[in-house]
Amino acid sequence: MRPEFPKRALVTAGMPYANKGLHFGHIGGVFVPADCYARFLRNRIGKDKVLFVSGTDCYGSSIDEGYRKLKENEAYQGSVHDFVLHYHDEQSASLAAYNISLDIYEGSSLGLSKEVHEQYTEEIITRLHANGWLHLDSTAQFYDTEAQVFLNGRQVEGYCPVQGCKSQRAYADECDMGHQYRPEDLLNPKSTVTQTTPELCEVNNWYFKLPEMAEALKQHIDYLRSDDITRSVVTDTMEEFLVAPLMYVKQEHLQAYQALASKLPTHHYRATEKGKASFELEFNCLDSRDKARALLSEHGIRFRTGKALVPFRITGNASWGVSAPVIESIEGLTVWCWPESLWAPLSFTRAWLKNKGEGVESLNASARGSSKGSFEDYWCSKDATVYQFIGQDNIFFYGIAQTALWAAHNACTASTPSAFAQEGQLQQTKLVANYHLLFLDKKASSSADIKPPMADDLLEHYTAEQLRAHFIALGLGKKPVSFRPQVLDPHANKKDPDPVLKESALLTNIFNRLARSCFYEAQKNFGGLLPLADIPEKLLHDAQDTYRAYEWAMYKTELHTAFEIASEYLRRANKHWSDSIKDAGEDTQARKTTLASAFYLLRMALLLMHPIVPQGCELIFKQLNFDVSADVYFSWKFIGDGNDIFFSPADLQKGGHPLKELPPRFDFFKKHPSQW
């Protein structure tokens, strides 16, 4: 039995902020896995049935703050648009250097995508309001009294208030671990503008009624637990937010709490468990917890809050942002960067179609006629699947917030909540979440003490193919894994093998050896022809068993398993060649059969390894000199066939296909110059 793939697929790969270049986490944790899967899907279901979409997240306080600091510290003269465009172009170049095969890499504030994204944003927010899922709320926002400005997002730093979180890099309403909370809960807030303690002032903003989506989210989590693709880290993390609102109070405040308990809203008290420092207070709803928070604060009782569904902010007052539509006469607001970044890939798809001359006038409008299909074909069809490759920190936004927003957009109601869409509505996506990619056993972040190595800098020590193979082999879908490049590890023993090059030996030794041997044998003994001969049944059966196991691994997005299967096949192929050519001796017919078989083994290895290390595989394909495109050669339509399927009638008549001549000592997979 073989897995069933969608008729069409769209792959997305996160949205890096436009305030810096790409670091190793962007590449190794998200873009390389997404690219590997997009390439596999193109081979498996057809290039014209797959879109690979991403782009630069151009808005938000992190961009605003980065631009402000650059102007202040380095007297930058450009506009914020220039600032964003510079990093978008830098990111695009980095992705190209790693052979990331995006169909679409746009920017939410750039070119046609800006226009489309603004239109989309107005459409979606207006629709959410019309469907009854937005409410206007007066909430607290930090205000820097010295600078006399409201502070947004990254302009406030403190300690995360969520119980159990050790992050000391928390912002106005989220920490760098992805936890959400109310601004008034942030511990030890400081303004990044003046380093003073800001005040909290009341402002009006639109909020999405996320707590009312609890039932729909529970339904969706139940479905995801039965899904072959969704990793447990997704469902486990999502479930953490579907709990009653909690407060954690240190045991030292027990007597003060007991004196106040009767005045608090109805709640359930849980005594401090052995080995823990706090007792718990569980409330029925957020409003009750908010009232309790005010009373506890008034009496000097310190506490931390637990994860829970809180209203999801839609708008803010940042100057650099997408303008929010005027609703109920509320003007002058901009959209918070997180919600608009969730639907940015839809905007990019729409802009791409528009750029190809396919008019798309509304969210659910079809754009017919493109060989790639229409907007609806990818985002709104039950025959299609959207695979979203994300990091562990962003599961709340893509798993909780996006799921709820899509359901609300589809006119789900609070009385009959359902996350499941009808045909023609926005379909829920498949989240492919990777665990943290650590650096030298530590969590690295551009905003933390341990800085991540930049993607471009790694290419000064390793080739893109070496890094791609290593990142896939790490198995980030199973657990957090440390990236340990010897050249950047101050404690590494330089006599030990470099961990990053573990997979490289497979490429530069075994893969190169098999490919070179085939071409050199053909040139030496068969006039430069790939000979036509029957392939032994045992090799055909082994190939079939292998590609079916590989296919299942890919279906489940277990990329590291697929790589292991391909690697073992390549080793068996190389051993078969070495043993068989030795046994053939000077027997011309035996050598002919052995060579044809070796080229068959090479073809199967190419099909399996192509999504992971495409550059070297495509070099070998070009050397084969077939009169077909790479898309045709690597297509799984011909997965069970040998190279002779691509022979011309003239090739068949003369019993062989002419290959391009391979120069002496040629490497399809190269070492980095620094490694010689």
Side-chain angles (χ1 to χ4, degrees), residues 469-480:
H470 182 64
F471 287 138
I472 293 297
L474 287 176
L476 287 170
K478 296 173 62 178
K479 61 182 179 180

Side-chain angles (χ1 to χ4, degrees), residues 292-594:
R293 184 180 58 218
L295 280 169
L296 293 178
S297 297
E298 183 182 330
H299 288 78
I301 300 175
R302 295 184 62 185
F303 56 86
R304 283 198 172 212
T305 52
K307 296 178 184 178
L309 293 181
V310 299
F312 187 61
R313 181 158 64 92
I314 298 295
T315 64
N317 52 20
S319 58
W320 178 244
V322 182
S323 296
V326 177
I327 300 176
E328 296 181 12
S329 301
I330 305 299
E331 300 179 332
L333 299 178
T334 51
V335 183
W336 185 38
C337 64
W338 257 113
E340 55 94 359
S341 73
L342 293 175
W343 56 73
L346 287 80
S347 299
F348 297 157
T349 306
R350 187 182 190 185
W352 186 79
L353 289 167
K354 227 175 179 184
N355 197 43
K356 292 177 71 68
E358 309 295 342
V360 186
E361 300 305 326
S362 67
L363 182 62
N364 288 323
S366 296
R368 301 298 176 191
S370 168
S371 62
K372 279 284 192 180
S374 71
F375 177 89
E376 280 186 333
D377 287 335
Y378 292 98
W379 289 99
C380 304
S381 172
K382 288 185 176 294
D383 290 333
T385 299
V386 175
Y387 300 88
Q388 291 193 293
F389 283 75
I390 62 172
Q392 181 181 354
D393 288 349
N394 292 334
I395 291 174
F396 169 83
F397 294 105
Y398 289 93
I400 294 289
Q402 179 180 281
T403 299
L405 285 168
W406 269 218
H409 174 274
N410 293 338
C412 163
T413 65
S415 58
T416 57
S418 175
F420 303 106
Q422 302 298 314
E423 180 69 26
Q425 295 180 324
L426 280 179
Q427 302 293 310
Q428 297 293 350
T429 66
K430 298 280 189 185
L431 298 184
V432 187
N434 280 330
Y435 284 89
H436 297 306
L437 179 56
L438 307 175
F439 176 54
L440 304 181
D441 300 325
K442 304 287 185 181
K443 189 174 186 294
S445 167
S446 301
S447 57
D449 293 334
I450 299 173
K451 304 299 180 187
M454 301 307 290
D456 290 350
D457 293 342
L458 290 175
L459 294 177
E460 295 179 6
H461 308 285
Y462 307 99
T463 69
E465 301 266 81
Q466 289 174 333
L467 289 164
R468 286 177 65 103
H470 182 64
F471 287 138
I472 293 297
L474 287 176
L476 287 170
K478 296 173 62 178
K479 61 182 179 180
V481 183
S482 186
F483 178 57
R484 303 189 58 84
Q486 189 182 74
V487 292
L488 300 180
D489 185 353
H491 304 296
N493 184 342
K494 303 305 179 184
K495 294 181 180 180
D496 291 337
D498 187 336
V500 176
L501 297 179
K502 179 181 178 182
E503 298 75 24
S504 178
L506 178 78
L507 305 176
T508 57
N509 295 339
I510 296 174
F511 213 163
N512 272 336
R513 186 184 308 134
L514 177 63
R516 281 196 304 253
S517 297
C518 288
F519 286 103
Y520 291 151
E521 172 68 11
Q523 290 170 195
K524 181 180 178 181
N525 294 314
F526 294 93
L529 295 181
L530 190 169
L532 182 65
D534 291 333
I535 310 301
E537 284 293 321
K538 67 175 183 178
L539 296 184
L540 297 176
H541 289 312
D542 181 45
Q544 183 181 80
D545 291 343
T546 300
Y547 73 67
R548 288 188 174 179
Y550 175 97
E551 184 181 42
W552 270 109
M554 279 295 197
Y555 172 77
K556 295 178 180 179
T557 66
E558 295 173 356
L559 308 186
H560 64 288
T561 302
F563 185 37
E564 288 171 3
I565 292 168
S567 300
E568 286 305 311
Y569 183 81
L570 187 54
R571 291 187 179 95
R572 291 200 303 276
N574 187 64
K575 186 176 188 305
H576 181 273
W577 160 257
S578 298
D579 293 345
S580 298
I581 199 66
K582 187 184 299 181
D583 293 342
E586 298 303 317
D587 185 330
T588 302
Q589 184 57 44
R591 293 186 79 91
K592 178 181 178 182
T593 301
T594 296

Side-chain angles (χ1 to χ4, degrees), residues 18-276:
N19 63 344
K20 61 178 77 72
L22 301 180
H23 57 63
F24 84 115
H26 293 124
I27 294 293
V30 179
F31 278 105
V32 165
D35 182 69
C36 177
Y37 204 66
R39 287 178 182 273
F40 166 74
L41 287 173
R42 290 186 190 117
N43 295 343
R44 180 61 181 79
I45 67 175
K47 183 179 180 180
D48 287 343
K49 301 294 189 294
V50 180
L51 277 179
F52 185 14
V53 179
S54 187
T56 303
D57 192 351
C58 298
Y59 294 111
S61 56
S62 61
I63 286 90
D64 226 356
E65 183 66 358
Y67 174 64
R68 182 190 68 80
K69 288 180 178 178
L70 191 65
K71 287 195 74 171
E72 287 184 3
N73 300 335
E74 299 183 30
Y76 181 68
Q77 297 298 311
S79 66
V80 65
H81 177 272
D82 297 331
F83 176 78
V84 165
L85 181 59
H86 166 79
Y87 282 112
H88 171 75
D89 290 346
E90 184 177 311
Q91 291 170 5
S92 297
S94 297
L95 292 169
Y98 279 86
N99 299 312
I100 307 300
S101 59
L102 284 150
D103 293 292
I104 308 162
Y105 193 72
E106 300 287 346
S108 50
S109 74
L110 303 174
L112 178 61
S113 289
K114 176 180 186 292
E115 172 192 328
V116 171
H117 191 52
E118 289 171 350
Q119 177 189 346
Y120 234 9
T121 298
E122 180 170 352
E123 238 177 79
I124 290 175
I125 293 176
T126 301
R127 185 162 179 161
L128 291 173
H129 180 264
N131 288 349
W133 283 100
L134 299 186
H135 74 279
L136 192 66
D137 199 2
S138 178
T139 56
Q141 183 173 347
F142 288 107
Y143 182 78
D144 189 318
T145 55
E146 184 175 314
Q148 296 186 339
V149 293
F150 278 103
L151 303 173
N152 290 287
R154 302 283 175 114
Q155 292 177 318
V156 183
E157 291 184 354
Y159 298 157
C160 181
V162 174
Q163 176 69 11
C165 181
K166 294 183 170 65
S167 174
Q168 296 185 18
R169 186 73 66 169
Y171 308 109
D173 49 13
E174 64 168 316
C175 76
D176 62 355
M177 298 297 290
H179 297 141
Q180 297 283 295
Y181 44 81
R182 298 187 188 240
E184 50 266 45
D185 289 339
L186 180 65
L187 304 177
N188 194 31
K190 294 290 182 185
S191 166
T192 62
V193 178
T194 63
Q195 299 304 311
T196 60
T197 300
E199 294 181 355
L200 281 168
C201 299
E202 294 294 309
V203 294
N204 284 327
N205 273 304
W206 290 105
Y207 284 80
F208 175 68
K209 300 174 183 177
L210 186 56
E212 295 182 22
M213 274 290 179
E215 189 57 39
L217 290 166
K218 288 176 183 176
Q219 290 177 24
H220 194 54
I221 290 172
D222 288 342
Y223 161 74
L224 293 178
R225 288 204 182 280
S226 65
D227 179 56
D228 287 330
I229 295 174
T230 306
R231 295 166 180 167
S232 59
V233 65
V234 173
T235 49
D236 291 348
T237 302
M238 289 175 66
E239 208 157 46
E240 290 174 1
F241 292 92
L242 299 182
V243 296
L246 293 173
M247 298 177 76
Y248 299 86
V249 184
K250 288 287 183 71
Q251 182 65 24
E252 63 196 63
H253 295 298
L254 179 61
Q255 288 186 342
Y257 154 74
Q258 290 172 335
L260 192 64
S262 62
K263 298 180 181 179
L264 296 175
T266 302
H267 64 281
H268 179 68
Y269 162 82
R270 293 194 192 93
T272 305
E273 296 180 5
K274 185 177 180 180
K276 294 188 176 181

